[in-house]
Amino acid sequence: MKLKYNFVVRNVAGQTVALAIEQSNCEFNGMIKLNSVGEFIFKLLQNEISEEDLVIEITKQYDVSFDNAKNSLAPYLETLRKNNLITE
């Protein structure tokens, strides 16, 4: 899976946000607020990565179990899918 659009992740006024860039901003012209975990996942999704590899990276970064990471990741990915932001 991978982000469908080209995004840049920046800190704006103390808040981390993702903004579509290049031609992507014609298709997605919003801004996405990210917490630190969301930012980490969003950056990983800028390149092709499997869901299992995402979970593994989360366990390495945040010292959580595989099951906890997987269960926490599922709703985040569902939101991205619902908003048509990732390709699989």
Side-chain angles (χ1 to χ4, degrees):
M1 74 183 61
K2 181 179 177 181
L3 287 172
K4 184 175 181 179
Y5 305 108
N6 292 324
F7 287 93
V8 62
V9 176
R10 295 284 188 262
N11 186 298
V12 177
Q15 174 68 55
T16 302
V17 295
L19 303 163
I21 58 172
E22 301 166 350
Q23 357 180 39
S24 297
N25 67 3
C26 295
E27 296 175 36
F28 180 85
N29 58 3
M31 175 175 59
I32 302 168
K33 292 182 190 179
L34 302 167
N35 64 21
S36 61
V37 179
E39 178 183 4
F40 179 74
I41 295 167
F42 218 77
K43 286 181 178 179
L44 290 172
L45 286 169
Q46 289 178 334
N47 297 298
E48 187 70 34
I49 189 167
S50 70
E51 189 168 341
E52 183 173 341
D53 286 340
L54 272 174
V55 174
I56 291 168
E57 291 301 318
I58 292 168
T59 63
K60 289 179 190 175
Q61 180 72 20
Y62 295 99
D63 192 30
V64 295
S65 72
F66 185 89
D67 288 339
N68 283 344
K70 185 175 181 177
N71 292 335
S72 296
L73 178 63
Y76 187 81
L77 291 179
E78 185 56 36
T79 298
L80 294 178
R81 286 181 181 109
K82 186 172 111 179
N83 289 288
N84 200 29
L85 294 176
I86 55 175
T87 60
E88 299 190 61

